[in-house]
Amino acid sequence: MVSSPSLAPAPAAITIAVDCMGGDHGPRVTLTACRAFLERHPQASLLLVGTSAALGEFSHERARIVPATEVVAMDDPIEIALRKKKDSSMRVAIQQVKDGAAQAAVSAGNTGALMAIARYLLKTLDGIDRPAIAPQLPNIKGGATTVLDLGANVDCDAEDLLQFAVLGSALVSALTGDESPTVGLLNVGEEAIKGSETIKKASLLLRTAAKSNVLNFYGNVEGNDIFKGTTDIVVCDGFVGNITLKATEGVASMIVDFLKIEYSNGLFSKFAAIVSYPVLKALKKRLDHRRYNGAALLGLRGLVFKSHGSADDVAFGYALDRAYDAARNNLLDRVRARIAHAAPLLARPQSAAPADAASLHV
Amino acid sequence: MVSSPSLAPAPAAITIAVDCMGGDHGPRVTLTACRAFLERHPQASLLLVGTSAALGEFSHERARIVPATEVVAMDDPIEIALRKKKDSSMRVAIQQVKDGAAQAAVSAGNTGALMAIARYLLKTLDGIDRPAIAPQLPNIKGGATTVLDLGANVDCDAEDLLQFAVLGSALVSALTGDESPTVGLLNVGEEAIKGSETIKKASLLLRTAAKSNVLNFYGNVEGNDIFKGTTDIVVCDGFVGNITLKATEGVASMIVDFLKIEYSNGLFSKFAAIVSYPVLKALKKRLDHRRYNGAALLGLRGLVFKSHGSADDVAFGYALDRAYDAARNNLLDRVRARIAHAAPLLARPQSAAPADAASLHV
């Protein structure tokens, strides 16, 4: 649909900068994942950012240690992370992207701090007011649905939602090779007349964008469509997105808990659990959120990926892979190309421009 | 906390008006459920509303047929249901409540039409701007979390959310006998500084209400808290509520589908499925949405309960039971008492009053 940079073979050297100190487990998890990543991708290089004490013993011919003296804590306020810890591993990792030493950065640290630092150092792309966070969720088709925004922007207007749709389309194109992924607008019903004023306006903007071949708008979708895989991309504001994500995590873990309770309820059930072990293992694999780890921070002049804070080495490895795929498939060029194509639609009346940094609460 | 009407023994005769024509299955389901309901509750009476042709053969000493010549279709626009079908079974059932012939009405029909007709005939209570829909969702504690609003109001302000909290508290008190149920405000984080401007203001209002003993405010909660059962009541606007409900239904059915796929994947898995049958049946029962059927329409001068359109006779029976429990535990008096107690907080500047019927889109 949009003429995108082709899926060229990977350049000779893609380098990913890794904040090795971030997340609940720090280097114990990130370094294990980094070593496995280097084995999987013989052409990739890593910049391992962290304190010398924590990373000192790591050695690999395609990895280089970049020292940082500070660490952003998971509960650090954004202000502290941004203004006080200027030599944090998170910030130094993103600086590598800014300096062109790496094509993407990955961190499992504090989401709010990561977004704030990334935004401060890299700046948003022309035509984009607010960067968005775009994770992938599993769907019944066995694939993944990319949902954005998931937490960075609690108050969004229709133009923001259009921008998210453009950004999400570029991401899915880069990760899957599908140049025309479908976009759904999350709403309380499929009919165009339903929803808040913002949603109705966004629906109109998305229809116009589709007519101009800027993106492939399917129409309004409902909450269950995320898991049906009705569209490749689902667009919503960060408030709805965050609550939806957490609610679905909640219901999934409730079901798993119920299964555990029932399978341990009496001898026969325990026998059934043993017999069912392979089945339950396969179910667990299907639902394994680790496979979906690695959310893109989109709309910035550089690639940054957020891993879940509680990620283990397998999960962190998926985030590294996602960042690598995005970088070698030229995600940033794709985003720029799509924004250029969408430029006439993305322009908004000056008076309606949103307050810039007001919504970084998540 | 609030001095509520006591849980008096049921008055000699509680009568429920039933829209027997509503829902996907109509009288086949509703009449079966009504007969079982009458057996379960020897003191209850029913007014069965529908066309003579459909209900003609039903006979029970505590049931009376109230004829209606029209039926609101599941896809009828609200305007048609409200303005054209003035002798619909849905409308006649609600009219029974208005006339004092019944203490509550139950319908499985079109939600938007039901809310519009209920609001038109019964009117909202003083102090309430917008009625809300309050269903119950299962939680890991084995109980139910009452969530409102779930679809009636897409654009809500802070005062609306406070009203929902007052209404939900009265409902849970009536259904459980707990005079001080906990209220959570659905947000993107537990911290009071997070969220949209509306949420921050609502959080302040709810804190003030709690200090005045109007309700028992726990604080902000996140999406997963609905299913953890962190609070008895979760308050949100209808947009977020509807999307969250549908997303969680989506993820639950995805998990069940995955289980089915894995259990039919090869001979051994099929054997495991047979062995696991009792366990899976118990799981199904825990997740059985039928047990949670029957959402209250709150904030009106009369009790109306909405059954899911696809309800079978068991599910519809739960909706009847819920309406019966609410009526015999004086839900309407409880709502009035709580509103009176909250009156100083519920008053809002006249200029800020919301457009009255603008948001009945769901």
Side-chain angles (χ1 to χ4, degrees), chain A residues 74-94:
Chain A
M74 291 308 268
D75 57 355
D76 269 345
I78 289 173
E79 273 304 298
I80 299 291
L82 191 60
R83 313 274 173 218
K84 303 286 179 195
K85 295 188 171 177
K86 295 200 175 174
D87 196 37
S88 72
S89 56
M90 185 185 277
R91 183 163 178 159
V92 172
I94 295 171

Side-chain angles (χ1 to χ4, degrees), chain A residues 115-194:
Chain A
M115 180 56 101
I117 294 173
R119 195 169 174 169
Y120 177 76
L121 287 183
L122 299 175
K123 313 297 179 203
T124 50
L125 288 161
D126 289 334
I128 299 297
D129 298 298
R130 298 167 160 191
I133 301 177
Q136 298 194 308
L137 300 178
N139 64 43
I140 185 67
K141 291 182 176 169
T145 307
T146 298
V147 184
L148 72 167
D149 174 47
L150 251 97
N153 306 288
V154 293
D155 285 307
C156 291
D157 61 18
E159 286 80 5
D160 289 320
L161 295 170
L162 172 61
Q163 291 174 18
F164 297 165
V166 169
L167 294 172
S169 297
L171 175 66
V172 172
S173 291
L175 293 179
T176 68
D178 176 358
E179 296 299 343
S180 188
T182 49
V183 174
L185 176 65
L186 196 56
N187 197 4
V188 292
E190 288 171 21
E191 302 86 336
I193 57 146
K194 284 191 173 177

Side-chain angles (χ1 to χ4, degrees), chain A residues 58-118:
Chain A
F58 192 96
S59 163
H60 190 287
E61 58 179 358
R62 282 179 283 117
R64 185 164 63 81
I65 291 173
V66 179
T69 55
E70 292 172 299
V71 175
V72 173
M74 291 308 268
D75 57 355
D76 269 345
I78 289 173
E79 273 304 298
I80 299 291
L82 191 60
R83 313 274 173 218
K84 303 286 179 195
K85 295 188 171 177
K86 295 200 175 174
D87 196 37
S88 72
S89 56
M90 185 185 277
R91 183 163 178 159
V92 172
I94 295 171
Q95 186 69 45
Q96 304 308 306
V97 175
K98 186 175 183 189
D99 295 346
Q103 284 73 54
V106 178
S107 174
N110 183 332
T111 309
L114 184 67
M115 180 56 101
I117 294 173

Side-chain angles (χ1 to χ4, degrees), chain A residues 222 246 262-263 276 286, chain B residues 222 246 262-263 276 286:
Chain A
E222 300 190 81
K246 290 200 174 142
E262 292 302 340
Y263 268 120
S276 295
R286 275 184 187 268
Chain B
E222 300 190 82
K246 290 202 173 140
E262 292 302 341
Y263 267 121
S276 294
R286 276 185 188 267

Side-chain angles (χ1 to χ4, degrees), chain A residues 20-45:
Chain A
C20 292
M21 311 302 289
D24 300 342
H25 311 297
R28 182 169 59 79
V29 154
T30 55
L31 291 183
T32 309
C34 284
R35 191 172 293 283
F37 172 84
L38 289 165
E39 299 308 313
R40 277 198 302 282
H41 304 290
Q43 305 222 306
S45 301

Side-chain angles (χ1 to χ4, degrees), chain A residues 37-357:
Chain A
F37 172 84
L38 289 165
E39 299 308 313
R40 277 198 302 282
H41 304 290
Q43 305 222 306
S45 301
L46 293 179
L47 297 178
L48 307 176
V49 187
T51 62
S52 304
L55 308 185
E57 288 176 26
F58 192 96
S59 163
H60 190 287
E61 58 179 358
R62 282 179 283 117
R64 185 164 63 81
I65 291 173
V66 179
T69 55
E70 292 172 299
V71 175
V72 173
M74 291 308 268
D75 57 355
D76 269 345
I78 289 173
E79 273 304 298
I80 299 291
L82 191 60
R83 313 274 173 218
K84 303 286 179 195
K85 295 188 171 177
K86 295 200 175 174
D87 196 37
S88 72
S89 56
M90 185 185 277
R91 183 163 178 159
V92 172
I94 295 171
Q95 186 69 45
Q96 304 308 306
V97 175
K98 186 175 183 189
D99 295 346
Q103 284 73 54
V106 178
S107 174
N110 183 332
T111 309
L114 184 67
M115 180 56 101
I117 294 173
R119 195 169 174 169
Y120 177 76
L121 287 183
L122 299 175
K123 313 297 179 203
T124 50
L125 288 161
D126 289 334
I128 299 297
D129 298 298
R130 298 167 160 191
I133 301 177
Q136 298 194 308
L137 300 178
N139 64 43
I140 185 67
K141 291 182 176 169
T145 307
T146 298
V147 184
L148 72 167
D149 174 47
L150 251 97
N153 306 288
V154 293
D155 285 307
C156 291
D157 61 18
E159 286 80 5
D160 289 320
L161 295 170
L162 172 61
Q163 291 174 18
F164 297 165
V166 169
L167 294 172
S169 297
L171 175 66
V172 172
S173 291
L175 293 179
T176 68
D178 176 358
E179 296 299 343
S180 188
T182 49
V183 174
L185 176 65
L186 196 56
N187 197 4
V188 292
E190 288 171 21
E191 302 86 336
I193 57 146
K194 284 191 173 177
S196 64
E197 293 310 312
T198 301
I199 291 292
K200 285 182 207 165
K201 192 174 168 199
S203 188
L204 276 177
L205 283 178
L206 286 163
R207 268 168 234 288
T208 308
K211 279 185 197 145
S212 311
N213 283 341
V214 166
L215 45 76
N216 184 1
F217 183 48
Y218 168 89
N220 293 346
V221 295
E222 300 190 81
N224 49 345
D225 287 305
I226 297 170
F227 301 97
K228 279 189 191 168
T230 306
T231 56
D232 299 308
I233 298 148
V234 170
V235 170
C236 59
D237 70 49
F239 187 79
V240 170
N242 179 290
I243 286 173
T244 302
L245 177 70
K246 290 200 174 142
T248 54
E249 283 174 0
V251 81
S253 69
M254 179 182 74
I255 292 173
V256 170
D257 282 359
F258 280 164
L259 257 182
K260 281 184 195 156
I261 291 169
E262 292 302 340
Y263 268 120
S264 56
N265 194 5
L267 256 186
F268 184 80
S269 293
K270 282 175 187 158
F271 168 67
I274 293 166
V275 172
S276 295
Y277 180 72
V279 171
L280 298 177
K281 201 173 158 190
L283 174 72
K284 200 175 161 191
K285 192 176 168 193
R286 275 184 187 268
L287 295 175
D288 189 353
H289 57 80
R290 298 184 300 181
R291 287 167 60 206
Y292 304 96
N293 190 38
L297 272 55
L298 293 173
L300 299 163
R301 297 169 193 261
L303 300 185
V304 180
F305 280 75
K306 164 76 176 94
S307 160
H308 205 289
S310 66
D312 63 10
D313 58 306
V314 174
F316 197 77
Y318 275 104
L320 291 174
D321 282 359
R322 200 147 279 149
Y324 181 62
D325 287 343
R328 68 197 178 107
N329 292 323
N330 308 310
L331 173 56
L332 205 56
D333 291 341
R334 286 167 182 276
V335 169
R336 285 205 174 96
R338 282 198 181 253
I339 291 174
H341 194 75
L345 294 168
L346 292 176
R348 99 174 81 191
Q350 280 304 311
S351 61
D356 195 47

Side-chain angles (χ1 to χ4, degrees), chain B residues 31-55:
Chain B
L31 290 183
T32 309
C34 284
R35 191 171 294 282
F37 173 83
L38 289 164
E39 298 308 313
R40 277 198 302 280
H41 305 289
Q43 305 221 307
S45 300
L46 294 178
L47 297 178
L48 307 176
V49 188
T51 62
S52 305
L55 309 185

